[in-house]
Amino acid sequence: MRVKSNDSFVLMVLILVGAILGSLIGAALNDVLPILNFGKSIGVDPFVVDLNVVVITFGFKLSLNLAGIIGIVLAFLIYRKL
């Protein structure tokens, strides 16, 4: 299968899967290699807009660790090979 160079949907899915799998592997190997779980969280704490009819909650948090970053890099390399 040949991926078009502008197929960003496939790239985003691969990066998301790579980050999730990397984080899961890092959590599983926490006892053996604790450095894989070193990471930071960035984002905005949730805040609520109450309009008396509709209540909307906004928020975003991205939490990456070293294993997740390795997963993202591997996913990008896989995308380049497609």
Side-chain angles (χ1 to χ4, degrees):
M1 176 174 116
R2 191 77 178 146
V3 177
K4 298 176 191 171
S5 62
N6 60 356
D7 197 358
S8 60
F9 179 73
V10 174
L11 177 62
M12 293 305 294
V13 168
L14 280 175
I15 287 176
L16 182 64
V17 169
I20 291 170
L21 287 178
S23 294
L24 288 175
I25 291 171
L29 297 176
N30 189 27
D31 294 335
V32 180
L33 294 170
I35 195 165
L36 290 178
N37 274 336
F38 177 74
K40 296 287 182 184
S41 293
I42 59 171
V44 177
D45 289 331
F47 62 95
V48 178
V49 177
D50 188 357
L51 301 174
N52 204 15
V53 176
V54 178
V55 178
I56 303 172
T57 304
F58 295 99
F60 176 77
K61 185 162 283 199
L62 179 64
S63 180
L64 275 179
N65 58 15
L66 186 60
I69 293 171
I70 292 171
I72 290 172
V73 170
L74 289 176
F76 183 73
L77 292 175
I78 290 170
Y79 174 77
R80 297 286 296 201
K81 293 289 183 182
L82 292 179

